[in-house]
Each structure stands twice: as structure tokens, then as C-alpha cells.
């Protein structure tokens, strides 16, 4: 499945939690400031902008599978970054990166084996990878609410997410040629200020694409009704740090 389109303007408004989560991940790259860095799954460019502050004398390239997200990132960042649309599963680069950052993206990608090979090949030997995405158990309370709504159009569908566990991720990274691998889970509860818009854009976008236009808003409301008030999404993030072997 190719990456889907996003409502980029709404994501830009709703993604304060993702920006807050991403700051620690940027810190972990421990940048000198002159590196060549890839933001893999840049979304609307808010995290890319924070990354840019850390590489004043370097280069940031931003890629995303959604053209709408890339357009939004270009609007935010202008010519400070080169941003383009690509499926990370098809990523090829001519000039390798010193570091790759990715936040809130890998759980949207089913084939982590292939993804890690593509990222490995995009790094120079010794180049570093710092990632955070949804991990095992992520937003389990939301999944319970989705299951409780039991919409006929979603029955039997495994859902859009790949919430991987640390152990299997470590093994996949090692098989792809990474070393110095660290993987761990981190709970991060999110209380969205506007649950309806947040769920529509950030959490349930892929679900809604399987429903007719008329069914979408009532489905979001039905999921929210199944959740405890005030609405809290129990995020569990999978962090990974690794280095391409020399
Ligand atoms: C929740 S957003 C995260 C954006 C940003 N990194 C942040 O933390 O706010 C997830 C992004 O992953 C992108 N994405 C999903 N699958 C992808 C793929 N196979 N290749 C490239 N980008 C992908 C989506 O288009 C979307 O912009």
C-alpha cells in the first residue's frame, strides 16, 4: 500500500503532542551542527523546524509520503530545507546522511525489515539513527473504543498500525546492518485539547477512508463516546537508537 494523503493543515494545528515527543528524540542525535540530516516522515515540518535549529551549519532534507504534508512543510520552511515526496520503502539517496531522524511515522509502515534496510543504505558508515514511533500497546484504550463501536466497514480489518515491540525491532535493526542498538518503550499519555479534530486527523484518518463521507463524523463521535471523559489517548512510544556499522 502506498502512503496515504493527510489533512496537512489540520495536522499542523493538532500536532503539539508530537512536537513535544520529538524534542527528546532530536536531543538524542547529539548533533554538532554541521551534519547532513534526513527527517524521514517530516509531516507538516514542525519537527523539521526544531531539527533545523540544531544544524545551523549543516543540511536538512525532509521527506514524506504525503504530497500535502510536503507542501505544508515547504510553506513553513521555505528554502531552509529541501523537502520532497517519497515512500520511505523506496528511498534511495546519492549522497549519504550523517544522521536520520524519524518521529511518529514508522508505525504507519508495515514492512520494517525493508524500511530499516533502506535507511541503513541511506546512512554513511557510522551514521546514526534516532527514531520514535508508536510501539507495542500504543493507544490500546483507543483501540478498545474502536472495537466497541464495531463499525461493519471495519470488521475483519487488521487496522493501519504496526506497533512493534522493542525486542523484534532490535533484531530487525541488527539484520539490516545496524549496531549499538537501543530500543525501549515509553508511555506518553496525551489529552488532546480538541478531541474531535485530533481523532479525525491524527488517529483515525485511515479508518475514516474506509467509511463513506456520511459515516465519518458519526464514527469519530461514537469512538469518543466509548472513551472515558476527559478523553486521554494512552500513547506508548517505541524509541530506537542505532548506528550503521562501519
Ligand atoms: C503522524 S505524522 C508525523 C509527522 C512528523 N514527523 C511529526 O512528528 O509530527 C506521520 C507521517 O508519516 C508519513 N508516512 C507514513 N507512511 C510513510 C511512508 N511509507 N513513507 C513516507 N512517509 C510516510 C505520513 O505521510 C505522515 O506525514
Amino acid at each position: 500500500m502506498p502512503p496515504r494523503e493527510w489533512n496537512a493543515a489540520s495536522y499542523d494545528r493538532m500536532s503539539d503532542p508530537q512536537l513535544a515527543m520529538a524534542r527528546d528524540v532530536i536531543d538524542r542525535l547529539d548533533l554538532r551542527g554541521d551534519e547532513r540530516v534526513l527527517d524521514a516522515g517530516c509531516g507538516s515540518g514542525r519537527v523539521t523546524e526544531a531539527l533545523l535549529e540544531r544544524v545551523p551549519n549543516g543540511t536538512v532534507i525532509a521527506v514524506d509520503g504525503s504530497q500535502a504534508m510536503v507542501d505544508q512543510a515547504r510553506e513553513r520552511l521555505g528554502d531552509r530545507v529541501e523537502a520532497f515526496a517519497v515512500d520511505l520503502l523506496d528511498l534511495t539517496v546519492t549522497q549519504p546522511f550523517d544522521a536520520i531522524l524519524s518521529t511518529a511515522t514508522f508505525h504507519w509502515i508495515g514492512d520494517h525489515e525493508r524500511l530499516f534496510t533502506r535507511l541503513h543504505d541511506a546512512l554513511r558508515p557510522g551514521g546514526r539513527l534516532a527514531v520514535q514511533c508508536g510501539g507495542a500497546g500504543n493507544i490500546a484504550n483507543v483501540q478498545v473504543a474502536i472495537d466497541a463501536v464495531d463499525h461493519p466497514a471495519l470488521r475483519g480489518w487488521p487496522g493501519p498500525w504496526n506497533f512493534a515491540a522493542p525486542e523484534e525491532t532490535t533484531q530487525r535493526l541488527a539484520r539490516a546492518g545496524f549496531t549499538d542498538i537501543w530500543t525501549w518503550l515509553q508511555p506518553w499519555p496525551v489529552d488532546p485539547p480538541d478531541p474531535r479534530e485530533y481523532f479525525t486527523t491524527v488517529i483515525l484518518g485511515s479508518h475514516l477512508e474506509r467509511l463513506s463521507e456520511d459515516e465519518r463524523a458519526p464514527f469519530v463521535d461514537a469512538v469518543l463516546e466509548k472513551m472515558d471523559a476527559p478523553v486521554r489517548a494512552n500513547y506508548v512510544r517505541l524509541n530506537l537508537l542505532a548506528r550503521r556499522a562501519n
Side-chain angles (χ1 to χ4, degrees):
M1 283 271 286
R4 66 183 181 87
E5 274 308 329
W6 283 65
N7 181 338
S10 176
Y11 185 79
D12 201 61
R13 276 195 300 277
M14 290 292 112
S15 52
D16 285 1
Q18 284 70 24
L19 180 59
M21 292 176 200
R23 291 194 187 281
D24 288 350
V25 192
I26 296 173
D27 284 346
R28 286 182 205 128
L29 274 177
D30 202 17
L31 294 161
R32 279 190 316 266
D34 61 354
E35 292 92 342
R36 178 175 166 80
V37 188
L38 174 71
D39 185 0
C42 63
S44 64
R46 295 181 69 187
V47 174
T48 321
E49 191 165 44
L51 173 64
L52 265 173
E53 289 168 15
R54 302 299 185 86
V55 277
N57 304 311
T59 304
V60 173
I61 309 282
V63 300
D64 198 278
S66 154
Q67 186 63 53
M69 287 294 214
V70 170
D71 292 344
Q72 189 83 25
R74 283 187 184 142
E75 197 175 311
R76 171 179 290 275
L77 302 166
D79 58 11
R80 291 188 287 158
V81 302
E82 203 181 305
F84 56 93
V86 69
D87 184 339
L88 288 171
L89 291 174
D90 296 330
L91 182 73
T92 52
V93 302
T94 46
Q95 206 185 334
F97 292 96
D98 298 305
I100 297 177
L101 172 79
S102 183
T103 57
T105 295
F106 286 9
H107 56 273
W108 294 104
I109 299 176
D111 188 347
H112 281 183
E113 304 270 353
R114 177 168 165 177
L115 173 65
F116 294 163
T117 300
R118 298 264 53 80
L119 298 178
H120 171 273
D121 292 354
L123 282 168
R124 66 161 171 77
R128 281 165 303 138
L129 179 67
V131 174
Q132 188 186 74
C133 60
N138 194 46
I139 54 172
N141 67 323
V142 178
Q143 187 62 57
V144 167
I146 293 168
D147 292 346
V149 171
D150 191 28
H151 195 288
L154 302 177
R155 274 180 212 146
W157 182 48
W161 302 308
N162 178 12
F163 295 143
E167 301 74 19
E168 60 183 342
T169 301
T170 296
Q171 289 166 10
R172 287 184 185 126
L173 286 166
R175 280 199 292 274
F178 285 95
T179 186
D180 297 340
I181 301 166
W182 292 85
T183 59
W184 71 101
L185 294 175
Q186 177 182 15
W188 192 300
V190 167
D191 303 327
D194 182 339
R196 187 172 285 127
E197 182 172 358
Y198 187 89
F199 271 60
T200 300
T201 299
V202 182
I203 297 189
L204 296 175
S206 291
H207 295 75
L208 300 182
E209 283 175 7
R210 305 180 78 88
L211 310 185
S212 68
E213 290 279 351
D214 296 352
E215 292 174 318
R216 293 178 182 181
F219 175 73
V220 172
D221 287 341
V223 171
L224 290 171
E225 270 165 32
K226 294 286 182 192
M227 297 191 62
D228 293 336
V231 170
R232 163 170 284 191
N234 290 330
Y235 280 80
V236 178
R237 308 317 271 171
L238 171 64
N239 292 297
L240 38 136
L241 279 179
R243 199 165 56 78
R244 177 178 164 156
N246 285 313

